[in-house]
Amino acid sequence: MTKAADDEHVVRQEYDQAADHAFPDGRLNEMLDRIENDPEIATYLEAQNVNAVDRKGYNDHGTKHIEIVRDRALRLYDLLKAGGVEFNGARQQGLEEADESVILALAATLHDIGHVVHRDDHSYYSIPLAADVLDRLLPEFYDVAEQVRVKAEVLHAILCHHTEEEPLTLEAGVIRIADGLDMERGRSRVPYEKGGRGINTVSSQAIESVILHPDEELPVRVEIRMNNAAGVYQVDSLLKAKVEGSMLQDLVRIVAINTKENGEGSLVERIEL
């Protein structure tokens, strides 16, 4: 399930539709095939970068960010399911287990489209825009009652991907954490000063890879490899807050590993948050 990313220095874990998973994946794979070939969604993912990047000076919030968040949400979900975690969002709506991953894929794909309105408060603007897309897509897969319930869960997860709103479902918690896991070199969710040497810049450039594993004691271990201890600022200031408010804080272990060269060779520091 691990593939090399475009950047040779970064290892990406991507959702593999052909692999075996700890959840029923047929419905998800059908939905992925649909949304990945949808011209309106593709245009939103390109257009949402204009306000975020060109006008506000943030780093990428477009197609690449969405691919990373969706991959990590599904990988996180797979590990949690393998660890015996029972999700509550779809279940409490009377939906099937197979709908959990569909909710995650749709929420991850559409969570940032509100950027086309404005970067500030974008999660609120994402709600009506995502609702329109869902009203078009969901009738292809669900009857009316199921459409309403899936839509409700997707919108809840979208709204709660930032820390202003409290997730009430584990599905929403997965999206919240996955959004913060897009943090490899230069990809932090915290804006950095182009050409600068402030803490945001140094920290965002320090993180080399983010890998999700099963843990000896918990369902998930997030291993963040850094080449500079400044990367801890990125983890502590953003990811830690997302995990603590996710309903998953007791199920996910975050370990930052700093590998640096000194005069006598490599020195490895391991920091658990």
Side-chain angles (χ1 to χ4, degrees):
M1 200 178 278
T2 301
K3 301 180 182 178
D6 296 336
D7 186 340
E8 63 181 1
H9 299 290
V10 177
V11 176
R12 279 262 313 279
Q13 291 176 306
E14 300 179 1
Y15 173 76
D16 183 355
Q17 291 184 229
D20 293 329
H21 300 108
F23 59 90
D25 58 9
R27 196 169 298 173
L28 167 66
N29 292 337
E30 289 181 14
M31 182 62 75
L32 285 174
D33 290 340
R34 179 66 181 84
I35 63 180
E36 288 175 354
N37 294 285
D38 188 273
E40 183 184 17
I41 292 175
T43 305
Y44 266 124
L45 302 191
E46 294 175 1
Q48 66 196 37
N49 247 351
V50 174
N51 277 331
V53 177
D54 298 337
R55 296 170 181 167
K56 292 284 286 184
Y58 279 70
N59 47 336
D60 171 54
H61 281 71
T63 303
K64 181 94 175 217
H65 171 61
I66 295 305
E67 291 175 351
I68 292 172
V69 172
R70 189 168 60 220
D71 286 341
R72 295 204 168 140
L74 293 173
R75 171 65 173 166
L76 179 58
Y77 172 70
D78 200 12
L79 289 170
L80 290 165
K81 293 292 284 189
V85 176
E86 294 186 7
F87 280 66
N88 67 311
R91 174 174 53 81
Q92 290 173 335
Q93 288 286 5
L95 296 168
E96 298 178 6
E97 182 185 10
D99 298 316
E100 295 170 355
S101 57
V102 172
I103 289 165
L104 292 175
L106 288 169
T109 301
L110 301 172
H111 77 277
D112 268 349
I113 66 172
H115 277 94
V116 301
V117 180
H118 204 291
R119 159 65 194 180
D120 300 343
D121 296 324
H122 69 274
S123 57
Y124 301 101
Y125 300 128
S126 291
I127 296 301
L129 298 176
D132 286 346
V133 175
L134 294 171
D135 286 343
R136 179 171 57 81
L137 287 183
L138 292 179
E140 300 177 23
F141 299 88
Y142 296 100
D143 65 24
V144 172
E146 292 170 333
Q147 291 169 41
V148 171
R149 295 178 183 278
V150 170
K151 178 180 174 180
E153 294 306 307
V154 172
L155 296 181
H156 175 72
I158 289 173
L159 183 66
C160 297
H161 82 271
H162 269 202
T163 55
E164 290 85 355
E165 303 295 342
E166 174 190 4
L168 302 178
T169 69
L170 296 188
E171 288 92 332
V174 166
I175 297 300
R176 184 182 177 114
I177 294 176
D179 184 50
L181 291 176
D182 182 13
M183 58 166 47
E184 284 102 341
R185 188 170 295 175
R187 294 200 55 81
S188 160
R189 299 302 87 207
V190 178
Y192 59 94
E193 309 83 10
K194 294 181 180 178
R197 298 295 295 171
I199 184 62
N200 285 336
T201 302
V202 175
S203 181
S204 70
Q205 296 298 321
I207 297 175
E208 295 187 332
S209 64
V210 178
I211 305 295
L212 279 66
H213 303 280
D215 185 74
E216 296 84 357
E217 300 176 357
L218 301 177
V220 182
R221 181 173 78 254
V222 178
E223 188 174 289
I224 301 167
R225 292 191 169 268
M226 309 175 295
N227 57 29
N228 188 311
V232 172
Y233 173 80
Q234 213 61 237
V235 178
D236 195 53
S237 64
L238 177 70
L239 181 58
K240 185 177 179 181
K242 283 183 173 278
V243 173
E244 286 181 346
S246 67
M247 297 180 67
L248 296 167
Q249 56 267 26
D250 295 330
L251 301 171
V252 177
R253 187 189 309 276
I254 301 176
V255 178
I257 299 176
N258 179 28
T259 303
K260 59 183 179 180
E261 299 293 330
N262 60 18
E264 301 177 352
S266 295
L267 176 66
V268 177
E269 298 175 340
R270 182 184 176 94
I271 306 163
E272 184 167 332
L273 299 175

